[in-house]
Amino acid sequence: MPFRWSARATQTVSAAAMSALLMTSAMKHFREPRFFEQVVPDYLCREIPGALGASPRGSEAPAPDGGKRPLAVMSREEWIAVSGLLEAGAAVGLLIPVTRQAAATAVTAMFAVFLAGHVDALRRAYGPAGSPAQRNVHTVRLPLQVPLILWAWSLRKPGRRR
Protein backbone atom coordinates (compact mmCIF):
# COMPACT_ATOMS: atom_id res chain seq x y z
CA MET A 1 0.00 0.00 0.00
CA PRO A 2 1.59 3.32 -1.07
CA PHE A 3 1.94 6.16 1.43
CA ARG A 4 -0.35 9.13 0.80
CA TRP A 5 1.04 12.45 1.92
CA SER A 6 -1.85 14.32 3.55
CA ALA A 7 -2.18 18.00 4.44
CA ARG A 8 -2.06 17.01 8.09
CA ALA A 9 1.18 15.06 7.65
CA THR A 10 2.69 17.98 5.74
CA GLN A 11 1.77 20.40 8.52
CA THR A 12 3.17 18.07 11.18
CA VAL A 13 6.49 17.72 9.36
CA SER A 14 6.60 21.48 8.74
CA ALA A 15 5.89 22.20 12.42
CA ALA A 16 8.61 19.75 13.46
CA ALA A 17 11.09 21.42 11.10
CA MET A 18 10.23 24.89 12.45
CA SER A 19 10.50 23.52 15.97
CA ALA A 20 13.97 22.11 15.24
CA LEU A 21 15.06 25.45 13.78
CA LEU A 22 13.76 27.34 16.82
CA MET A 23 15.35 24.93 19.29
CA THR A 24 18.69 25.16 17.47
CA SER A 25 18.48 28.95 17.59
CA ALA A 26 17.45 28.87 21.26
CA MET A 27 20.50 26.78 22.13
CA LYS A 28 22.73 29.17 20.16
CA HIS A 29 21.40 32.04 22.31
CA PHE A 30 23.09 30.44 25.31
CA ARG A 31 26.15 28.93 23.59
CA GLU A 32 27.07 31.95 21.44
CA PRO A 33 25.17 34.97 22.73
CA ARG A 34 27.54 37.37 20.94
CA PHE A 35 26.01 36.20 17.64
CA PHE A 36 22.76 37.93 18.67
CA GLU A 37 24.20 41.08 20.31
CA GLN A 38 24.00 43.26 17.20
CA VAL A 39 20.36 42.34 16.60
CA VAL A 40 19.19 43.69 19.96
CA PRO A 41 18.42 47.39 19.40
CA ASP A 42 20.22 49.81 21.69
CA TYR A 43 16.95 51.48 22.68
CA LEU A 44 15.88 48.24 24.41
CA CYS A 45 19.04 47.98 26.50
CA ARG A 46 19.95 49.60 29.79
CA GLU A 47 23.52 49.96 28.54
CA ILE A 48 25.07 50.63 25.18
CA PRO A 49 28.22 48.62 24.38
CA GLY A 50 31.15 50.90 23.80
CA ALA A 51 29.31 53.96 25.12
CA LEU A 52 31.05 55.98 27.80
CA GLY A 53 33.60 53.26 28.46
CA ALA A 54 31.17 50.36 28.77
CA SER A 55 32.40 47.04 27.53
CA PRO A 56 30.13 45.02 25.19
CA ARG A 57 29.55 42.40 27.85
CA GLY A 58 30.37 44.20 31.04
CA SER A 59 29.42 47.19 33.10
CA GLU A 60 26.43 49.31 32.35
CA ALA A 61 26.84 52.88 31.19
CA PRO A 62 24.07 55.43 31.06
CA ALA A 63 22.43 56.07 27.73
CA PRO A 64 23.83 59.03 25.81
CA ASP A 65 20.29 60.44 25.49
CA GLY A 66 20.23 61.23 29.21
CA GLY A 67 18.57 57.98 30.26
CA LYS A 68 15.24 58.64 28.52
CA ARG A 69 14.74 55.07 27.34
CA PRO A 70 11.42 53.73 28.61
CA LEU A 71 11.83 50.41 26.75
CA ALA A 72 15.26 49.79 28.27
CA VAL A 73 14.09 47.36 30.93
CA MET A 74 16.82 44.72 30.54
CA SER A 75 20.46 44.44 29.58
CA ARG A 76 21.45 43.16 26.14
CA GLU A 77 22.43 39.81 27.67
CA GLU A 78 19.05 39.50 29.39
CA TRP A 79 17.19 40.23 26.12
CA ILE A 80 19.23 37.53 24.40
CA ALA A 81 18.49 35.00 27.15
CA VAL A 82 14.76 35.84 27.26
CA SER A 83 14.44 35.55 23.47
CA GLY A 84 16.23 32.19 23.62
CA LEU A 85 13.79 30.97 26.26
CA LEU A 86 10.85 32.21 24.18
CA GLU A 87 12.17 30.38 21.13
CA ALA A 88 12.59 27.16 23.14
CA GLY A 89 9.05 27.44 24.50
CA ALA A 90 7.66 28.11 21.03
CA ALA A 91 9.57 25.11 19.67
CA VAL A 92 7.87 22.86 22.20
CA GLY A 93 4.47 24.47 21.57
CA LEU A 94 4.71 23.75 17.84
CA LEU A 95 5.20 20.04 18.51
CA ILE A 96 1.97 19.69 20.48
CA PRO A 97 -1.03 19.64 18.13
CA VAL A 98 -3.38 21.27 20.64
CA THR A 99 -1.02 24.24 21.17
CA ARG A 100 0.30 24.47 17.61
CA GLN A 101 -2.02 27.22 16.41
CA ALA A 102 -1.30 29.47 19.41
CA ALA A 103 2.44 28.73 19.22
CA ALA A 104 2.49 29.45 15.47
CA THR A 105 0.73 32.77 16.07
CA ALA A 106 3.27 33.62 18.77
CA VAL A 107 6.19 32.64 16.53
CA THR A 108 4.79 34.78 13.71
CA ALA A 109 4.55 37.75 16.08
CA MET A 110 8.02 37.02 17.48
CA PHE A 111 9.60 36.98 14.00
CA ALA A 112 7.74 40.18 13.10
CA VAL A 113 9.04 41.89 16.26
CA PHE A 114 12.55 40.65 15.49
CA LEU A 115 12.36 42.65 12.24
CA ALA A 116 12.99 45.81 14.27
CA GLY A 117 16.26 44.39 15.58
CA HIS A 118 17.36 43.29 12.13
CA VAL A 119 16.56 46.70 10.63
CA ASP A 120 18.45 48.42 13.46
CA ALA A 121 21.45 46.09 13.01
CA LEU A 122 21.48 46.76 9.27
CA ARG A 123 21.27 50.51 9.88
CA ARG A 124 24.25 50.35 12.24
CA ALA A 125 26.20 48.05 9.87
CA TYR A 126 25.96 50.68 7.14
CA GLY A 127 26.83 53.46 9.60
CA PRO A 128 30.30 54.82 10.35
CA ALA A 129 31.15 52.04 12.83
CA GLY A 130 29.94 49.21 10.57
CA SER A 131 32.28 46.80 8.85
CA PRO A 132 31.96 45.09 5.46
CA ALA A 133 31.40 41.75 7.24
CA GLN A 134 28.55 43.23 9.32
CA ARG A 135 27.01 44.72 6.19
CA ASN A 136 27.10 41.32 4.47
CA VAL A 137 25.68 39.42 7.43
CA HIS A 138 22.84 41.83 8.17
CA THR A 139 21.98 42.33 4.51
CA VAL A 140 21.30 38.56 4.37
CA ARG A 141 19.68 38.20 7.82
CA LEU A 142 16.98 40.84 7.33
CA PRO A 143 15.29 39.39 4.22
CA LEU A 144 15.39 35.89 5.75
CA GLN A 145 12.79 37.07 8.27
CA VAL A 146 10.09 37.29 5.57
CA PRO A 147 10.00 33.57 4.69
CA LEU A 148 10.25 32.71 8.40
CA ILE A 149 7.21 34.89 9.14
CA LEU A 150 5.25 33.34 6.26
CA TRP A 151 6.26 29.82 7.32
CA ALA A 152 5.20 30.41 10.92
CA TRP A 153 1.91 31.94 9.73
CA SER A 154 1.21 28.87 7.56
CA LEU A 155 1.43 26.64 10.64
CA ARG A 156 -1.62 28.38 12.13
CA LYS A 157 -3.93 26.45 9.78
CA PRO A 158 -5.07 23.17 11.27
CA GLY A 159 -4.12 20.15 9.16
CA ARG A 160 -7.19 18.58 7.57
CA ARG A 161 -8.04 14.98 8.23
CA ARG A 162 -8.60 12.61 5.36
Side-chain angles (χ1 to χ4, degrees):
M1 168 161 55
F3 176 73
R4 295 182 86 206
W5 199 256
S6 69
R8 185 175 180 177
T10 301
Q11 190 204 39
T12 299
V13 169
S14 184
M18 173 70 79
S19 177
L21 177 78
L22 286 168
M23 193 56 78
T24 301
S25 177
M27 290 186 312
K28 189 173 180 90
H29 277 75
F30 297 100
R31 289 185 178 157
E32 296 178 51
R34 289 187 58 88
F35 180 78
F36 298 96
E37 283 181 354
Q38 293 179 340
V39 186
V40 180
D42 290 340
Y43 57 82
L44 291 179
C45 302
R46 289 190 306 245
E47 82 286 349
I48 296 178
L52 302 173
S55 66
R57 307 199 68 199
S59 62
E60 296 183 13
D65 59 4
K68 297 174 186 169
R69 300 165 85 193
L71 297 176
V73 295
M74 291 189 282
S75 69
R76 189 171 308 276
E77 292 80 9
E78 290 167 338
W79 280 112
I80 293 168
V82 166
S83 63
L85 290 173
L86 289 173
E87 286 183 358
V92 171
L94 288 173
L95 293 176
I96 304 168
V98 96
T99 61
R100 184 171 298 148
Q101 186 173 8
T105 302
V107 171
T108 303
M110 181 177 67
F111 285 149
V113 168
F114 287 174
L115 275 173
H118 289 286
V119 168
D120 189 61
L122 187 64
R123 178 190 60 78
R124 284 184 277 120
Y126 279 91
S131 69
Q134 290 172 331
R135 289 194 262 299
N136 291 338
V137 166
H138 295 299
T139 299
V140 171
R141 277 176 103 173
L142 177 63
L144 284 177
Q145 290 301 111
V146 174
L148 288 173
I149 291 168
L150 295 173
W151 182 14
W153 184 257
S154 75
L155 293 174
R156 295 178 66 249
K157 303 172 200 154
R160 288 180 286 195
R161 294 180 183 226
R162 287 187 139 194

